[in-house]
Amino acid sequence: MSELLPNYLAGQWQSGDGPGTPLFDPVLGTELVRVSSSGLDLQGGYAYARDEGGGALRALTYAQRAGMLAAVVDVLKANRDRYFEIALANSGTTRQDSAVDIDGAIFTLGQYARWGAALGDTRWMGDGDTVPLAKDGSFRSRHVLVPTRGLALFINAFNFPAWGLWEKAAPALLSGVPVVVKPATTTAWLTHAMVADVVAAGVLPAGALSIVCGSARGLLSPLQPFDVVSFTGSADTAATIRADDAIVRRSVRVNIEADSLNSALLLPDAGPGSAAFELLVAEVVREMTVKSGQKCTAIRRVFVPASCYASAGEAIAAALAQVTVGNPRNSTVRMGALASRQQWEGVHAGIAKLRRHTEVLYDGTSAPLVDADPAVAACMGPTLLGGSRPDEAAVVHDTEVFGPVATLLPYDDLEDAVRQVRLGQGSLVTSIYTQDAGQAAQAALELADGHGRLHVITPEVGAAHTGHGNVMPMSLHGGPGRAGGGEELGGLRALQFYHRRAAIQASAPVLDALEAAREAHGTAD
Ligand code: NAP
């Protein structure tokens, strides 16, 4: 039997009861490690995190906590090679795809370390200006943001075991809030390895970082009103979490990052042969194949003018045909595996559902695999579908197939395109491709209310842009409606989730004393 990974809770490594749930290599089908959260004293573990971890973190200033994040970066960099080995074995990803997760995590942490250092040696942040309440100005109001005195529980998805932890932990720890992470079981090993290395290095105070691997059962019950939950995963699990007593009755603050039918939109000015058209084709192919399409931000719907439908379909299909699929240990392989055979079955079922309403423009599902047994490996070539009657195919705007799959959809005019994008009911990101800066700005504003991010690609940024699906810590991540309604990252905005806002109404001298105490060391407005 493989090793049972212990949980780290209440400052101790503790194994869960029973044999645990096995994690597998999705290419070879071999068992790697096991996890169990059964029988853990969650209540005691959470209390330790709040009291010991939270207390120690809040005693530090933002700049000191930023220094801690920088130390975590050093630990992760020192162990980086092993993380790639674990990702190769447990996620079945190529080195390039693993880097999106692992190096993305390290980059994001480093960025928050730099931003945090600039906040200086302060312990609270201001929000807006001081405003007079009394006519003579003697009595005023000042809004302050102070770290919440609870813990941050992260319930994460399987597709980003590294970045998914650190993109949340960076702003939480910088805010002075201790973290308990529950990674998705399928790929929990990498999250576990990173936490184990950081704990062993002793760069965080006791109780600042805990990990529970295995079933999520009972995870929300011990939460208290000042705790926060950040969830990333499917809309169905999100609905269960939202209905939990912790959220409904104890007002635990919750952030939801759920699934999303993200779009790529070619504007009417950009026909075949234009630079914008070529950029759309390249980006769609990249988004469909990076991490086998298992990115919450991946392009699922591609909107082009009806006159370009055939040429766009041909160009994307031709590029997809070049993608080699199989065992990522073979250096000729460009696209590795899905995270598990269960995911593989789910993607096949999703394609079958979409195919009832669409035509197949490229079918890679039966293409031969490189160095992988098709009966065992969770590997699958990409599929491009097309819909010439999009209004009759509501399913295309509603069904997230979490794999290398996208649907090409024609539109009549820009109004029709915007209407169709909106059928996604709120998305994380839409990318817009055009030669025309004015049209780009207009389309971006028109779509802004339904998205967390608009990624506008004009030819002059063809080489410089950061990628439709890449989540940069400087920009907001999240989206309204279907996408979960959450907000993450976006620079220091992310810290707000881990702070409580209060208005302090007082005399001018009291408020001056408040500012003076802080400004003696720096400012954090
Ligand atoms: P999932 O099945 O919803 O699982 C997500 C997490 O929730 C896992 O840790 C899971 O634990 C846990 N969980 C399951 N049942 C739970 C319950 N009743 N209460 C509390 N937690 C529970 O999602 P997934 O399959 O891992 O991830 C794929 C989905 O995530 C896709 O739909 C994708 O779009 C979405 N996603 C969104 C974003 C974003 O930022 N918007 C990012 C990445 C992924 P177990 O693994 O132990 O079941």
Side-chain angles (χ1 to χ4, degrees):
M1 217 184 246
S2 62
E3 180 195 353
L4 180 66
L5 298 179
N7 303 283
Y8 190 69
L9 201 60
Q12 292 170 17
W13 289 104
Q14 343 179 0
S15 293
D17 295 339
T21 307
L23 277 58
F24 295 98
D25 181 317
V27 179
L28 307 176
T30 47
E31 184 177 319
L32 300 167
V33 290
R34 287 168 301 122
V35 293
S36 168
S37 59
S38 203
L40 294 179
D41 173 13
L42 292 173
Q43 193 150 358
Y46 287 5
Y48 183 86
R50 281 183 209 107
D51 299 343
E52 298 295 323
L57 288 169
R58 284 195 307 276
L60 303 173
T61 64
Y62 291 106
Q64 287 169 327
R65 295 192 291 257
M68 259 172 20
L69 296 187
V72 172
V73 167
D74 290 341
V75 174
L76 299 183
K77 278 185 177 165
N79 293 284
R80 186 172 163 270
D81 287 346
R82 196 162 52 85
Y83 303 149
F84 276 91
E85 282 167 26
I86 292 174
L88 178 68
N90 192 196
S91 293
T93 37
T94 61
R95 193 167 176 89
Q96 211 174 352
D97 286 359
S98 301
V100 177
D101 188 28
I102 296 165
D103 290 338
I106 294 172
F107 173 72
T108 303
L109 265 167
Q111 195 61 54
Y112 275 95
R114 283 189 286 281
W115 286 326
L119 290 176
D121 281 322
T122 58
R123 288 189 181 81
W124 61 273
M125 298 197 293
D127 174 29
D129 296 329
T130 301
V131 291
L133 296 177
K135 275 187 182 157
D136 65 1
S138 62
F139 192 60
R140 300 170 180 219
S141 176
R142 173 72 162 127
H143 287 86
V144 298
L145 291 162
V146 292
T148 190
R149 295 197 176 212
L151 62 83
L153 173 64
F154 302 156
I155 302 177
N156 282 352
F158 70 81
N159 57 339
F160 281 103
W163 177 83
L165 163 60
W166 296 112
E167 61 104 9
K168 295 180 184 188
L173 294 170
L174 183 56
S175 299
V177 177
V179 166
V180 178
V181 61
K182 197 312 246 185
T185 298
T186 314
T187 56
W189 193 13
L190 178 53
T191 316
H192 188 276
M194 289 179 146
V195 170
D197 289 338
V198 171
V199 167
V203 293
L204 296 178
L209 181 62
S210 309
I211 183 167
V212 174
C213 295
S215 164
R217 198 172 309 116
L219 218 53
L220 300 177
S221 323
L223 290 178
Q224 295 184 357
F226 299 109
D227 296 332
V228 300
V229 176
S230 183
F231 169 78
T232 301
S234 64
D236 286 345
T237 311
T240 309
I241 288 175
R242 277 202 175 97
D244 194 275
D245 260 10
I247 283 87
V248 177
R249 298 196 184 282
R250 298 195 290 284
S251 304
V252 167
R253 185 183 281 172
V254 64
N255 190 73
I256 303 279
E257 300 289 343
D259 51 31
S260 169
L261 277 293
N262 312 295
S263 307
L265 170 59
L266 185 71
L267 291 191
D269 69 288
S274 69
F277 181 91
E278 301 300 333
L279 286 163
L280 170 120
V281 170
E283 199 62 11
V284 168
V285 172
R286 184 152 71 127
E287 285 296 312
M288 288 177 71
T289 53
V290 169
K291 287 177 76 64
S292 295
Q294 298 170 115
K295 283 195 310 180
C296 52
T297 49
I299 295 169
R300 306 291 177 202
R301 301 176 297 155
V302 185
F303 296 97
V304 295
S307 59
C308 299
Y309 176 76
S311 43
E314 283 161 20
I316 296 168
L320 290 175
Q322 304 301 313
V323 177
T324 44
V325 184
N327 190 335
R329 292 165 184 87
N330 184 311
S331 60
T332 65
V333 166
R334 193 166 135 205
M335 188 165 92
L338 295 161
S340 66
R341 197 70 184 180
Q342 197 185 0
Q343 276 307 118
W344 183 90
E345 280 161 15
V347 172
H348 272 292
I351 292 172
K353 187 175 172 187
L354 290 180
R355 278 182 74 155
R356 288 199 282 275
H357 305 272
T358 55
E359 57 178 330
V360 180
L361 301 178
Y362 180 78
D363 180 3
T365 54
S366 49
L369 303 179
V370 179
D371 272 358
D373 178 354
V376 175
C379 298
M380 176 193 291
T383 297
L384 180 69
L385 302 168
S388 52
R389 311 274 306 269
D391 289 349
E392 292 175 19
V395 70
V396 164
H397 305 284
D398 190 39
T399 305
E400 185 203 43
V401 182
F402 206 58
V405 184
T407 305
L408 183 68
L409 296 156
Y411 67 81
D412 296 332
D413 52 27
L414 192 53
E415 195 183 328
D416 182 38
V418 167
R419 183 188 61 77
Q420 289 194 57
V421 171
R422 285 179 178 280
L423 294 176
Q425 301 291 323
S427 299
L428 296 172
V429 52
T430 280
S431 49
I432 298 168
Y433 304 79
T434 176
Q435 316 272 120
D436 183 325
Q439 276 195 36
Q442 194 190 337
L445 277 177
E446 191 63 37
L447 291 168
D449 68 295
H451 292 80
R453 183 161 61 85
L454 277 311
H455 185 74
V456 182
I457 305 183
T458 46
E460 70 267 27
V461 294
H465 79 91
T466 47
H468 164 107
N470 279 350
V471 176
M472 302 299 287
M474 302 80 179
S475 294
L476 193 68
H477 175 57
R482 167 75 190 249
E487 284 194 356
E488 288 179 346
L489 301 173
L492 289 172
R493 288 176 189 85
L495 271 61
Q496 296 208 6
F497 182 68
Y498 303 98
H499 282 71
R500 295 278 161 187
R501 183 183 286 108
I504 299 188
Q505 300 176 323
S507 68
V510 171
L511 294 184
D512 287 347
L514 199 71
E515 298 299 335
R518 188 174 59 149
E519 283 170 6
H521 303 287
T523 55
D525 256 324

